[in-house]
């Protein structure tokens, strides 16, 4: 079987045929760097990491572009409201670019802790203002955009008449217009459904740039169209992001690309599904939002203890990337056990030597062969990691039977053993990006060590030796560990 991908644009599973094999161009919408990424964001980025790894493993030469949104993303999804980086900067009394730097660094740290491979290009919106202005100029020239008071809007109605708007999300322009009618603050637009390509900046707006239309800033959707075109071309293979970005973000991207280049950009659109915790959508407002590093430290009231990053990743991989995933403590505990079982089998077979080198194919060899073919077929079937893992469990149980003597060494050939070694290793480490780590024990030790420092700081404070107490707090902060004085007098710690 060859690789097939569910294309959200055509709503069918299609044979994957890159435009210029063996090269593959993949663009994934990256984080908006105004706050810590939550575990939902993490799931999406881990899913694309697995996809990137599998494409590479399958022999493709992938150019993987994932942007950093550091401008343009307004608090309102429809392109109104205040800039997210600026509003967070006010809250934290920092410059907007300090917010960008702080959360970009933190995002990279987390991606690294979760053993994801960095994209091959990671462009920023602020670094591509010129390209965005150029795209707006083309859209104006092609008649799909108009200027009002120093702002530029995309003319959705005009575009719809020529190219059809809403094909990706399956939305109908009349219904959309009816839904938007009552919303205010849209006096400038010709139609309520039009979206901003460039917004005139008021003087108090810090993030603003010169443009042919005066000082302003780009609309959020524009950066991805401009940067994907720049680095992957007017036509490229894969565009990905979370399901929540399908509309309006990706729909607007397709309109911008088609309006400026006469082509919608990507051939295959991939969307990852949302993450829930204890049956509820994880969100800050519901109070069930857990940060990736809180899973690792266990420093959260909803968790029983810390879990290694690979446990959380393994839990993600146990469901298909396009299914909603509900996680809870029981799921984490089971994932921890399951991962341990597979890792122990990999460790066992790595060092396993047959007494005699059998060359004849046995029934067990055939069973291994079928399971390995199954792994590839499942991965080729729209990256079905859940079913692949089921086969890895069966391969691991063969290893255990060998170890326990239920399968005799005469009943398996060297080729069978080599296949077990290679496939357990490749799937666990190269394709799924898991690690054989037992950080639970390490984290418990870390907590104990930090309690020692916390107590030393307390003693220093009691003796009014503030130089020492500040030194402890500041040096830990430099290492990415934050101490927090709680109201009840206790001190908690978290990883920044
Ligand atoms: P953002 O930083 O909000 O622009 O989001 C970064 C990525 O995470 C986007 O691809 C989102 O679609 C995705 N995302 C946001 N929330 C969730 C969630 N609860 N579960 C899975 N992915 C999410
Ligand atoms: Zn995007």
């Amino acid at each position: 079987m060859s690789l097939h991908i569910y294309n959200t644009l055509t709503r069918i599973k299609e044979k994957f045929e890159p435009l210029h094999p063996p090269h593959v161009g993949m663009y994934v919408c990256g984080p908006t760097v105004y706050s810590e990424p939550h575990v939902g964001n993490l799931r999406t980025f881990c899913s694309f990491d697995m996809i990137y790894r599998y494409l590479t493993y399958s022999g493709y030469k992938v150019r993987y572009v994932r942007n950093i949104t550091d401008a343009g993303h307004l608090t309102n999804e429809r392109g109104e409201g205040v800039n997210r980086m600026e509003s967070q900067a006010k809250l934290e009394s920092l410059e907007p670019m300090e917010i960008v730097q702080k959360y970009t660094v933190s995002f990279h740290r987390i991606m690294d802790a979760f053993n994801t491979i960095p994209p091959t290009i990671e462009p920023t919106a602020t670094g591509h203002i010129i390209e965005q202005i150029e795209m707006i100029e083309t859209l104006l020239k092609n008649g799909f955009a108009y200027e009002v008071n120093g702002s530029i809007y995309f003319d959705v109605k005009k575009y719809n008449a020529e190219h059809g708007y809403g094909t990706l999300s399956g939305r109908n322009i009349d219904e959309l217009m009816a839904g938007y009618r009552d919303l205010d603050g849209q006096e400038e637009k010709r139609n309520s459904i039009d979206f901003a390509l460039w917004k005139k900046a008021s003087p108090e707006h810090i993030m603003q740039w010169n443009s042919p239309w005066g000082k302003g800033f780009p609309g959020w959707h524009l950066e991805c169209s401009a940067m994907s075109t720049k680095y992957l071309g007017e036509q490229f293979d894969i565009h990905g992001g979370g399901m929540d970005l399908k509309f309006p973000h990706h729909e607007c991207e397709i309109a911008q690309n088609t309006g400026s280049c006469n082509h919608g950009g990507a051939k295959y659109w991939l969307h990852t599904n949302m993450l829930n915790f204890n049956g509820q959508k994880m969100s800050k407002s519901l109070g069930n939002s857990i940060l990736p590093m809180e899973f690792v430290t266990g420093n959260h009231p909803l968790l029983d203890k810390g879990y290694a990053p690979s446990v959380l990743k393994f839990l993600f991989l146990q469901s298909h990337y396009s299914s909603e995933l509900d996680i809870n403590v029981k799921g984490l505990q089971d994932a921890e056990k399951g991962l341990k079982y597979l890792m122990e089998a990999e460790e066992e077979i790595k060092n396993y030597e047959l007494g005699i080198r059998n060359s004849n194919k046995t029934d067990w060899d055939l069973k291994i062969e079928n399971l390995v073919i199954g792994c590839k077929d499942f991965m080729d079937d729209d990256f079905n990691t859940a079913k692949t893992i089921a086969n890895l469990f069966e391969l691991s149980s063969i290893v255990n039977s060998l170890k326990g003597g239920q399968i005799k060494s005469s009943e398996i050939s060297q080729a069978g053993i080599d296949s077990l070694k290679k496939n357990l290793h490749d799937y666990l480490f190269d394709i799924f990006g898991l690690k054989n780590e037992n950080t639970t024990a390490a984290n418990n030790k870390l907590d104990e060590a930090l309690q020692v420092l916390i107590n030393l700081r307390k003693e220093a404070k009691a003796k009014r030796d503030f130089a020492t107490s500040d030194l402890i707090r500041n040096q830990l902060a430099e290492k990415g560990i934050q101490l927090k004085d709680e109201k009840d007098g206790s001190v908690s710690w978290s990883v920044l």
Side-chain angles (χ1 to χ4, degrees):
M1 185 175 171
S2 58
L3 179 60
H4 283 62
I5 296 182
Y6 181 82
N7 189 350
T8 2
L9 185 63
T10 55
R11 293 172 186 74
I12 49 168
K13 224 179 256 177
E14 290 176 34
K15 186 168 192 283
F16 181 58
E17 288 175 318
L19 297 161
H20 308 288
H23 299 281
V24 170
M26 174 160 93
Y27 186 93
V28 173
C29 293
T32 307
V33 282
Y34 71 106
S35 66
E36 295 286 346
H38 57 66
V39 176
N41 304 134
L42 180 72
R43 181 195 183 198
T44 285
F45 296 126
C46 285
S47 295
F48 286 107
D49 182 61
M50 173 277 293
I51 289 170
Y52 174 47
R53 283 169 180 273
Y54 188 64
L55 289 171
T56 308
Y57 187 81
S58 304
Y60 292 113
K61 309 246 170 300
V62 187
R63 179 177 289 175
Y64 172 22
V65 185
R66 188 184 65 206
N67 67 305
I68 295 276
T69 297
D70 58 353
H73 199 162
L74 303 188
T75 43
N76 175 330
E77 292 297 322
R78 292 178 44 248
E80 287 114 29
V82 286
N83 176 308
R84 291 186 185 211
M85 275 58 69
E86 286 203 12
S87 56
Q88 190 62 27
K90 279 200 190 102
L91 278 177
E92 297 193 31
S93 302
L94 293 172
E95 274 288 313
M97 284 314 271
E98 284 182 303
I99 290 294
V100 164
Q101 178 68 2
K102 176 176 169 183
Y103 292 111
T104 303
V105 167
S106 165
F107 174 69
H108 286 153
R109 259 198 207 144
I110 291 162
M111 289 296 103
D112 207 39
F114 281 79
N115 195 30
T116 62
I117 302 176
T120 49
I121 304 179
E122 194 170 43
T124 61
T126 54
H128 295 77
I129 299 292
I130 291 171
E131 288 80 354
Q132 296 182 72
I133 290 175
E134 281 170 1
M135 193 169 256
I136 297 175
E137 284 175 326
T138 312
L139 287 168
L140 281 167
K141 195 173 80 211
N142 293 351
F144 293 116
Y146 57 92
E147 183 190 350
V148 190
N149 301 329
S151 292
I152 314 284
Y153 294 98
F154 190 93
D155 190 337
V156 175
K157 217 169 164 190
K158 172 115 190 285
Y159 172 84
N160 184 56
E162 278 182 47
H163 296 286
Y165 178 80
T167 34
L168 178 71
S169 58
R171 301 200 187 202
N172 171 300
I173 182 170
D174 295 325
E175 285 166 20
L176 284 169
M177 297 238 298
Y180 283 173
R181 199 155 293 150
D182 298 336
L183 300 167
D184 54 9
Q186 311 176 348
E187 312 74 36
E188 284 188 351
K189 298 181 189 177
R190 282 185 193 159
N191 287 293
S192 53
I193 195 177
D194 294 350
F195 57 90
L197 296 167
W198 187 266
K199 286 286 268 187
K200 180 192 169 99
S202 49
E204 67 273 14
H205 224 99
I206 304 170
M207 297 181 92
Q208 51 172 280
W209 293 265
N210 284 322
S211 81
W213 319 286
K215 284 190 188 295
F217 55 92
W220 169 41
H221 313 305
L222 190 60
E223 62 175 277
C224 291
S225 287
M227 297 191 286
S228 61
T229 308
K230 173 160 176 149
Y231 295 111
L232 299 172
E234 292 179 0
Q235 286 179 266
F236 57 96
D237 299 301
I238 298 175
H239 192 312
M243 207 73 97
D244 56 330
L245 297 187
K246 212 197 253 185
F247 186 87
H249 185 54
H250 292 158
E251 200 69 78
C252 295
E253 267 191 58
I254 292 180
Q256 292 165 158
N257 282 50
T258 311
S260 60
C261 316
N262 225 10
H263 196 282
K267 187 172 171 188
Y268 304 91
W269 284 81
L270 266 76
H271 288 99
T272 54
N273 215 325
M274 297 292 107
L275 183 98
N276 300 326
F277 191 78
N278 285 338
Q280 257 185 335
K281 191 180 156 68
M282 189 174 277
S283 93
K284 282 182 193 159
S285 55
L286 290 172
N288 69 342
S289 128
I290 306 181
L291 299 178
M293 292 320 280
E294 288 173 340
F295 268 100
V296 180
T297 60
N299 216 343
H300 193 284
L302 288 173
L303 295 172
D304 60 336
K305 65 185 182 82
Y307 291 89
S310 289
V311 171
L312 192 54
K313 269 177 95 168
F314 187 64
L315 187 56
F316 293 161
L317 292 162
Q318 280 180 304
S319 75
H320 192 262
Y321 74 84
S322 67
S323 319
E324 232 177 69
L325 171 62
D326 184 35
I327 63 172
N328 49 42
V329 165
K330 170 86 173 59
L332 282 161
Q333 289 168 346
D334 291 346
E336 188 172 53
K337 274 191 219 133
L339 181 62
K340 186 162 174 271
Y341 182 81
L342 298 183
M343 286 297 178
E344 281 174 0
E346 195 280 332
E347 193 66 32
E348 176 68 27
I349 199 69
K350 192 166 75 184
N351 304 311
Y352 189 89
E353 288 300 333
L354 272 182
I356 8 147
R357 295 200 143 226
N358 305 318
S359 50
N360 294 341
K361 234 183 216 180
T362 67
D363 285 351
W364 283 111
D365 291 321
L366 286 175
K367 177 137 181 107
I368 293 167
E369 219 171 271
N370 283 334
L371 287 168
V372 167
I373 291 170
C375 284
K376 183 179 176 309
D377 284 350
F378 290 141
M379 287 303 287
D380 280 344
D381 184 14
D382 196 26
F383 313 101
N384 197 326
T385 51
K387 288 189 175 168
T388 306
I389 287 174
N391 275 24
L392 295 184
F393 273 113
E394 288 202 44
L395 289 169
S396 299
S397 98
I398 296 177
V399 174
N400 278 342
S401 301
L402 265 170
K403 184 182 166 194
Q406 294 91 335
I407 302 176
K408 295 188 188 61
S409 50
S410 58
E411 289 174 328
I412 201 159
S413 78
Q414 186 60 40
I417 299 291
D418 291 344
S419 173
L420 281 173
K421 283 187 191 186
K422 179 175 164 41
N423 285 289
L424 280 175
H425 174 277
D426 289 4
Y427 277 95
L428 292 176
F429 302 124
D430 299 342
I431 299 171
F432 293 162
L434 299 165
K435 278 186 177 173
N436 193 355
E437 57 200 344
N438 185 357
T439 53
T440 309
N443 275 323
N444 291 340
K445 288 280 162 230
L446 175 65
D447 186 50
E448 284 169 22
L450 281 166
Q451 292 310 328
V452 173
L453 284 169
I454 287 169
N455 287 337
L456 282 175
R457 180 168 164 258
K458 210 168 156 187
E459 281 171 27
K461 265 183 155 177
K463 285 189 223 148
R464 305 192 65 77
D465 176 6
F466 297 115
T468 305
S469 72
D470 286 351
L471 189 75
I472 294 174
R473 197 198 45 219
N474 295 343
Q475 292 214 344
L476 284 174
E478 271 172 34
K479 303 282 176 225
I481 292 169
Q482 189 174 40
L483 297 186
K484 192 167 161 229
D485 295 306
E486 303 290 355
K487 285 197 190 95
D488 63 1
S490 67
V491 179
S492 65
W493 63 272
S494 60
V495 177
L496 288 169

